[in-house]
Amino acid sequence: MQIDRLADRFAPLVLSLVRIMTALLLLQHPLSKFFGWPVAMQRPGLFSLYWIAGAIEIVFGALLLAGFYTRLTAFILSGELAFAYFIGHAPRGFFPLGNNGEAAVLFCFIFLYFACAGGGPLSIDAVWRKR
């Protein structure tokens, strides 16, 4: 089918675009925690669990945005978001809809996918592979 060939042709590019957009969406959280941008949030206490999560998200979110060591970076972020879900959301109820954990679960599994699929052609990893 024509649509299958078209989808196969653009799949690597879409992988990169989804990685970039997911990283940008993730980066909103630590930027809000630490810098009050784009929306001001309560600042976490220094070296608190919330602060450490924000530090992980800002460092590894930036690495993921650039596509630098994408598989390792995404694996670490997937684990961090799983941890965030089970520590911060799951105690409030089983279903993510009821405990406000949908974003954490979705980020976790998207990052797990990137850990397997890589960063796509628009990444530092892809540039290094070409050398």
Side-chain angles (χ1 to χ4, degrees):
M1 275 183 105
Q2 183 74 7
I3 191 74
D4 290 338
R5 282 196 304 264
L6 189 63
D8 289 342
R9 181 176 171 203
F10 287 104
L13 180 62
V14 171
L15 172 63
S16 289
L17 293 175
V18 171
R19 175 188 49 81
I20 290 165
M21 286 306 305
T22 304
L24 289 171
L25 288 170
L26 176 74
L27 282 168
Q28 291 182 103
H29 296 268
L31 291 174
S32 293
K33 290 174 192 172
F34 295 135
F35 305 110
W37 185 86
V39 176
M41 293 176 70
Q42 182 179 353
R43 289 185 182 238
L46 190 61
F47 299 112
S48 66
L49 195 57
Y50 197 58
W51 186 93
I52 291 168
I56 290 169
E57 290 167 0
I58 203 162
V59 170
F60 288 96
L63 292 174
L64 187 70
L65 179 63
F68 187 69
Y69 289 106
T70 303
R71 292 175 192 263
L72 177 62
T73 296
F75 183 75
I76 291 167
L77 284 169
S78 178
E80 189 257 346
L81 269 295
F83 183 77
Y85 178 78
F86 286 110
I87 295 297
H89 298 281
R92 291 186 265 156
F94 180 75
F95 294 104
L97 181 63
N99 64 27
N100 294 324
E102 296 143 305
V105 172
L106 191 56
F107 275 127
C108 176
F109 280 92
I110 291 172
F111 294 144
L112 185 60
Y113 174 70
F114 292 144
C116 295
L122 302 177
S123 66
I124 292 174
D125 295 340
V127 171
W128 283 1
R129 265 194 315 272
K130 288 181 182 178
R131 290 183 179 199

Short mmCIF file of all heavy atoms in Angstrom, two decimals, residues 2-3 11 20 27 33 36 40 43 49 52 58 61 69 73 87 97 104 108 116 128-129:
data_model
loop_
_atom_site.label_atom_id
_atom_site.label_comp_id
_atom_site.label_asym_id
_atom_site.label_seq_id
_atom_site.Cartn_x
_atom_site.Cartn_y
_atom_site.Cartn_z
N GLN A 2 0.36 2.29 -0.58
CA GLN A 2 1.06 3.56 -0.66
C GLN A 2 1.30 4.18 0.72
O GLN A 2 2.37 4.69 1.00
CB GLN A 2 0.26 4.53 -1.53
CG GLN A 2 0.91 5.86 -1.77
CD GLN A 2 2.07 5.78 -2.74
OE1 GLN A 2 2.33 4.75 -3.35
NE2 GLN A 2 2.78 6.87 -2.87
N ILE A 3 0.29 4.11 1.59
CA ILE A 3 0.41 4.72 2.92
C ILE A 3 1.48 4.02 3.76
O ILE A 3 2.17 4.66 4.55
CB ILE A 3 -0.96 4.75 3.65
CG1 ILE A 3 -0.90 5.63 4.90
CG2 ILE A 3 -1.41 3.37 4.02
CD1 ILE A 3 -0.86 7.08 4.62
N ALA A 11 9.01 7.34 9.25
CA ALA A 11 9.06 6.83 10.63
C ALA A 11 10.33 7.28 11.39
O ALA A 11 10.22 7.71 12.54
CB ALA A 11 8.93 5.31 10.65
N ILE A 20 12.05 14.80 20.56
CA ILE A 20 12.26 16.23 20.84
C ILE A 20 11.07 16.82 21.59
O ILE A 20 11.24 17.51 22.60
CB ILE A 20 12.55 16.99 19.52
CG1 ILE A 20 13.92 16.58 18.98
CG2 ILE A 20 12.45 18.49 19.73
CD1 ILE A 20 14.17 16.97 17.53
N LEU A 27 10.87 18.83 30.15
CA LEU A 27 11.68 19.93 30.67
C LEU A 27 10.85 21.04 31.30
O LEU A 27 11.37 21.80 32.12
CB LEU A 27 12.58 20.50 29.57
CG LEU A 27 13.82 19.67 29.27
CD1 LEU A 27 14.49 20.15 27.98
CD2 LEU A 27 14.79 19.71 30.43
N LYS A 33 9.98 24.11 38.41
CA LYS A 33 10.39 23.91 39.80
C LYS A 33 11.54 24.84 40.19
O LYS A 33 11.53 25.42 41.27
CB LYS A 33 10.86 22.46 40.02
CG LYS A 33 9.79 21.43 39.98
CD LYS A 33 10.40 20.03 40.05
CE LYS A 33 9.38 18.97 39.72
NZ LYS A 33 9.96 17.63 39.59
N GLY A 36 10.77 28.85 37.79
CA GLY A 36 9.47 29.49 37.69
C GLY A 36 9.04 29.77 36.27
O GLY A 36 8.23 30.66 36.03
N ALA A 40 5.17 29.24 37.28
CA ALA A 40 5.82 29.18 38.59
C ALA A 40 5.23 28.04 39.42
O ALA A 40 4.01 27.88 39.48
CB ALA A 40 5.66 30.51 39.33
N ARG A 43 9.06 25.94 44.88
CA ARG A 43 10.44 25.48 44.79
C ARG A 43 10.67 24.34 45.77
O ARG A 43 10.27 24.42 46.93
CB ARG A 43 11.40 26.62 45.09
CG ARG A 43 11.42 27.63 43.99
CD ARG A 43 12.47 28.69 44.25
NE ARG A 43 12.40 29.65 43.17
CZ ARG A 43 13.44 29.93 42.40
NH1 ARG A 43 14.59 29.39 42.62
NH2 ARG A 43 13.31 30.80 41.43
N LEU A 49 13.73 14.88 47.86
CA LEU A 49 13.41 13.93 46.80
C LEU A 49 12.87 14.66 45.57
O LEU A 49 13.22 14.33 44.43
CB LEU A 49 12.41 12.90 47.32
CG LEU A 49 12.21 11.64 46.50
CD1 LEU A 49 13.53 10.91 46.31
CD2 LEU A 49 11.21 10.73 47.18
N ILE A 52 15.82 16.35 43.83
CA ILE A 52 16.64 15.37 43.11
C ILE A 52 15.94 14.95 41.82
O ILE A 52 16.58 14.85 40.76
CB ILE A 52 16.97 14.17 44.00
CG1 ILE A 52 17.91 14.61 45.12
CG2 ILE A 52 17.58 13.02 43.21
CD1 ILE A 52 18.09 13.60 46.24
N ILE A 58 16.08 17.72 34.58
CA ILE A 58 16.67 18.82 33.81
C ILE A 58 17.93 18.37 33.07
O ILE A 58 18.13 18.69 31.90
CB ILE A 58 16.92 20.08 34.67
CG1 ILE A 58 16.97 21.32 33.77
CG2 ILE A 58 18.17 19.98 35.50
CD1 ILE A 58 16.78 22.62 34.51
N GLY A 61 16.75 15.39 30.66
CA GLY A 61 15.84 15.95 29.68
C GLY A 61 16.58 16.71 28.59
O GLY A 61 16.26 16.62 27.41
N TYR A 69 23.50 10.14 23.81
CA TYR A 69 23.38 8.88 24.57
C TYR A 69 21.89 8.60 24.84
O TYR A 69 21.49 8.33 25.97
CB TYR A 69 24.18 8.92 25.87
CG TYR A 69 25.66 8.86 25.66
CD1 TYR A 69 26.45 9.99 25.82
CD2 TYR A 69 26.28 7.68 25.27
CE1 TYR A 69 27.82 9.94 25.62
CE2 TYR A 69 27.65 7.62 25.06
CZ TYR A 69 28.42 8.75 25.24
OH TYR A 69 29.77 8.71 25.03
N THR A 73 20.12 7.53 28.36
CA THR A 73 19.39 8.66 28.93
C THR A 73 17.91 8.32 29.10
O THR A 73 17.31 8.56 30.15
CB THR A 73 19.55 9.90 28.02
OG1 THR A 73 20.92 10.27 28.00
CG2 THR A 73 18.72 11.06 28.49
N ILE A 87 6.07 6.27 43.95
CA ILE A 87 6.25 7.01 45.20
C ILE A 87 5.22 8.12 45.34
O ILE A 87 4.65 8.32 46.40
CB ILE A 87 7.68 7.61 45.28
CG1 ILE A 87 8.72 6.50 45.34
CG2 ILE A 87 7.82 8.56 46.46
CD1 ILE A 87 8.64 5.61 46.55
N LEU A 97 -5.77 7.61 36.40
CA LEU A 97 -6.75 8.69 36.26
C LEU A 97 -7.15 9.25 37.62
O LEU A 97 -7.31 10.46 37.78
CB LEU A 97 -7.99 8.20 35.51
CG LEU A 97 -9.09 9.24 35.28
CD1 LEU A 97 -8.59 10.37 34.39
CD2 LEU A 97 -10.31 8.59 34.66
N ALA A 104 3.08 10.63 34.35
CA ALA A 104 4.24 9.85 34.78
C ALA A 104 4.28 8.50 34.09
O ALA A 104 5.34 8.06 33.62
CB ALA A 104 4.23 9.67 36.31
N CYS A 108 7.04 7.46 31.32
CA CYS A 108 7.81 6.26 31.62
C CYS A 108 7.87 5.32 30.41
O CYS A 108 8.94 4.86 30.02
CB CYS A 108 7.21 5.55 32.84
SG CYS A 108 8.01 3.99 33.24
N CYS A 116 14.78 1.63 23.67
CA CYS A 116 14.89 0.53 22.70
C CYS A 116 15.10 1.02 21.27
O CYS A 116 15.87 0.43 20.51
CB CYS A 116 13.63 -0.32 22.75
SG CYS A 116 13.39 -1.17 24.32
N TRP A 128 27.09 10.96 15.24
CA TRP A 128 28.27 10.17 15.61
C TRP A 128 28.33 8.84 14.87
O TRP A 128 29.40 8.37 14.52
CB TRP A 128 28.28 9.93 17.12
CG TRP A 128 28.72 11.11 17.91
CD1 TRP A 128 29.08 12.34 17.45
CD2 TRP A 128 28.83 11.18 19.32
NE1 TRP A 128 29.39 13.17 18.49
CE2 TRP A 128 29.25 12.48 19.64
CE3 TRP A 128 28.61 10.26 20.34
CZ2 TRP A 128 29.47 12.89 20.95
CZ3 TRP A 128 28.81 10.68 21.65
CH2 TRP A 128 29.24 11.97 21.94
N ARG A 129 27.17 8.23 14.64
CA ARG A 129 27.14 6.94 13.94
C ARG A 129 27.61 7.10 12.50
O ARG A 129 28.18 6.18 11.92
CB ARG A 129 25.73 6.37 13.93
CG ARG A 129 25.45 5.40 15.04
CD ARG A 129 24.18 4.60 14.82
NE ARG A 129 23.03 5.37 14.39
CZ ARG A 129 22.18 5.97 15.22
NH1 ARG A 129 22.35 5.91 16.51
NH2 ARG A 129 21.15 6.64 14.73
#
